[in-house]
Amino acid sequence: MGLISNGTTIFDAGAISLGGSMTFIKKLTASSSASLQFIHGSSGVVFDSTYKEYVFTFKNIHPQTDNSSLTFQVSTNGGTSYGVNTTTTYFRGQHEEDGSSSSLTYVGSDDIADDTGFIPLSEDCGNDNDQNCSGIMSIFNPADTTFVKHWLHNMSAMQRNDYAFNEFMGGYFNTTSAINAVKFEFGAGAIDAGDICLYGIK
Amino acid sequence: MGIISNGTTLLDAGAIDSGIASGAMVLLSTLTASNSATLDFTSGITSTYKEYMFKYINVHPSANNTSTFFGFQVDTGTNTNYAQTMTTTHFRGAHSEADNHATVQVGADRDQAEGTALQSLAYAVGGNADECISGTMSLFDPASSTFVKHFLSRANVYYEADITMDSFTAGYVNTTTALTRVRFKMTGGNIESGIIKMYGIV
């Protein structure tokens, strides 16, 4: 049953519109997980033309293995295979806990050039009990079939040697096929703990 | 028909009561380009929200050359000059598909010092069929009559020479008059396609 007030549908079919434009879609919690995957149409995940922007938030992502890098890949076939040609940038500000070193640097070893490999999201993560990385990533209009797909990411990480990393990444998936799945994993070892949440922006 | 629960009006006259909590990010309007000289937001920018967020998604130029850039200007009242004075910064990370160019650098050619020109948000955008820009800009408290108005933008660009460019632009509009209008446009051609959405942040 729906409810119509003054000609406006307030709620119907189990949904109500309250005017917000950012919609929570799915949270995945790691528990020594080899990877965390968001696949459209699976386990309640929406990742299609419903939204023009999808936002992932990373909270307290903790690696099982020290000195490992958090990475991601996307899929155009519902997660059957991953690896879409991507060109990216990576630069970061960093500062050591003892104050002895600070810099802003482009890191060529953490970008990729029209490559299908894993895309770094956080470099040299530490696995001490309190070490982790947290951040936010946007993927714009992944269902589009005309243009490349842009994405932007920013991560704050506690690096294995006790540096604060402020990491900036961006790029485009060089495909005009719709992207419908995203996978996150560490370069070595499992995702020991942490949450990744997916939101859609109307 | 309205609904009142325990003395509190929940909805009436086709709208959820303003006292009911809803999402904090509210979509106010969407402009869709169709070989458009400009995309102008001329209403809805008031003191209702302390932050206005603009999302540019798959913005595609009609021209393809190095002098083309996507930018914005603002104005007050019902004026249409779009020539408010700004002081801005711009820096960017860039990486080519051919892997022969990678850098993070200040782009002094894209900033203004008390200038009144169109402020670049993304430059040398490719005009090939799959090339475009996507990103986000926040404009803070445009209705203030005391302070200058700050803005922050981050966009990823498919540069016309097949380079991904993570573009950071920020600054302030140096006026204490309320801003009511925002214009987006390309130099060297039109906005052939793409959408720009404006949100209010509670």
Side-chain angles (χ1 to χ4, degrees):
Chain A
M1 185 187 82
L3 176 65
I4 297 172
S5 173
N6 203 30
T8 299
T9 299
I10 303 298
F11 62 77
D12 195 16
I16 186 166
S17 175
L18 293 177
S21 293
M22 184 171 181
T23 302
F24 171 78
I25 297 172
K26 182 75 176 178
K27 178 167 90 171
L28 297 180
T29 298
S31 178
S32 294
S33 307
S35 67
L36 293 177
Q37 298 184 56
F38 294 85
I39 300 171
H40 175 68
S42 174
S43 303
V45 171
V46 175
F47 199 80
D48 63 0
S49 61
T50 302
Y51 300 97
K52 290 291 189 186
E53 178 184 351
Y54 288 85
V55 173
F56 294 90
T57 61
F58 307 85
K59 292 148 192 160
N60 300 340
I61 305 297
H62 182 260
Q64 196 172 60
T65 303
D66 197 40
N67 189 22
S68 186
S69 297
L70 182 66
T71 67
F72 83 115
Q73 284 184 307
V74 299
S75 169
T76 58
N77 57 16
T80 300
S81 63
Y82 286 91
V84 171
N85 284 74
T86 307
T87 300
T88 71
T89 56
Y90 176 101
F91 64 93
R92 68 176 179 243
Q94 64 183 56
H95 189 209
E96 195 169 4
E97 283 189 4
D98 66 6
S100 63
S101 171
S102 61
S103 63
L104 173 66
T105 311
Y106 190 95
V107 184
S109 57
D110 288 329
D111 63 20
I112 65 173
D114 214 22
D115 191 88
T116 59
F118 289 95
I119 304 162
L121 287 178
S122 190
E123 183 67 10
D124 294 345
C125 298
N127 78 337
D128 291 355
N129 286 340
D130 63 346
Q131 293 179 326
N132 70 91
C133 58
S134 295
I136 186 165
M137 179 171 75
S138 290
I139 297 179
F140 296 94
N141 206 10
D144 183 82
T145 56
T146 301
F147 296 107
V148 303
K149 285 74 173 170
H150 291 290
W151 61 275
L152 293 166
H153 176 64
N154 183 206
M155 188 78 92
S156 181
M158 185 175 179
Q159 190 259 5
R160 63 189 171 98
N161 291 327
D162 299 336
Y163 283 79
F165 273 8
N166 186 6
E167 302 173 291
F168 295 92
M169 287 138 279
Y172 50 80
F173 306 113
N174 201 355
T175 179
T176 55
S177 298
I179 290 167
N180 52 20
V182 182
K183 177 175 71 172
F184 301 93
E185 64 181 71
F186 275 103
I191 306 175
D192 186 54
D195 295 332
I196 302 179
C197 292
L198 173 63
Y199 302 84
I201 308 289
K202 283 182 187 170
Chain B
M1 183 185 80
I3 292 182
I4 298 172
S5 175
N6 200 29
T8 299
T9 299
L10 299 178
L11 64 93
D12 196 15
I16 302 287
D17 189 83
S18 61
I20 305 300
S22 62
M25 180 179 181
V26 179
L27 177 62
L28 301 176
S29 58
T30 301
L31 299 181
T32 301
S34 178
N35 206 24
S36 307
T38 66
L39 291 179
D40 296 344
F41 292 87
T42 58
S43 63
I45 301 173
T46 67
S47 61
T48 301
Y49 299 99
K50 288 293 188 182
E51 177 184 349
Y52 287 81
M53 182 178 285
F54 298 87
K55 299 278 187 183
Y56 5 101
I57 298 168
N58 295 351
V59 172
H60 176 72
S62 62
N64 182 27
N65 60 63
T66 55
S67 63
T68 298
F69 70 83
F70 172 69
F72 86 110
Q73 248 290 0
V74 295
D75 217 334
T76 60
T78 57
N79 296 311
T80 56
N81 294 324
Y82 293 100
Q84 293 294 311
T85 301
M86 298 185 194
T87 295
T88 64
T89 64
H90 171 82
F91 67 93
R92 57 191 179 244
H95 184 211
S96 65
E97 289 184 10
D99 205 16
N100 56 9
H101 174 74
T103 184
V104 59
Q105 62 186 125
V106 171
D109 54 339
R110 297 297 148 193
D111 64 21
Q112 298 192 73
E114 291 295 89
T116 58
L118 187 76
Q119 174 58 46
S120 175
L121 298 172
Y123 85 98
V125 187
N128 291 329
D130 63 346
E131 298 174 342
C132 64
I133 310 154
S134 293
T136 300
M137 181 176 78
S138 290
L139 177 63
F140 298 94
D141 202 9
S144 171
S145 56
T146 303
F147 297 109
V148 303
K149 284 72 172 176
H150 291 284
F151 72 94
L152 293 166
S153 171
R154 187 181 180 191
N156 206 71
V157 185
Y158 197 133
Y159 183 90
E160 56 89 27
D162 296 340
I163 293 171
T164 185
M165 191 173 287
D166 187 358
S167 296
F168 293 76
T169 310
Y172 54 83
V173 183
N174 200 355
T175 180
T176 55
T177 303
L179 303 179
T180 56
R181 297 177 164 217
V182 178
R183 163 173 287 177
F184 295 91
K185 67 176 291 189
M186 292 281 180
T187 59
N190 292 335
I191 304 175
E192 186 171 275
S193 62
I195 61 175
I196 303 180
K197 292 170 173 273
M198 181 173 76
Y199 303 84
I201 308 296
V202 175

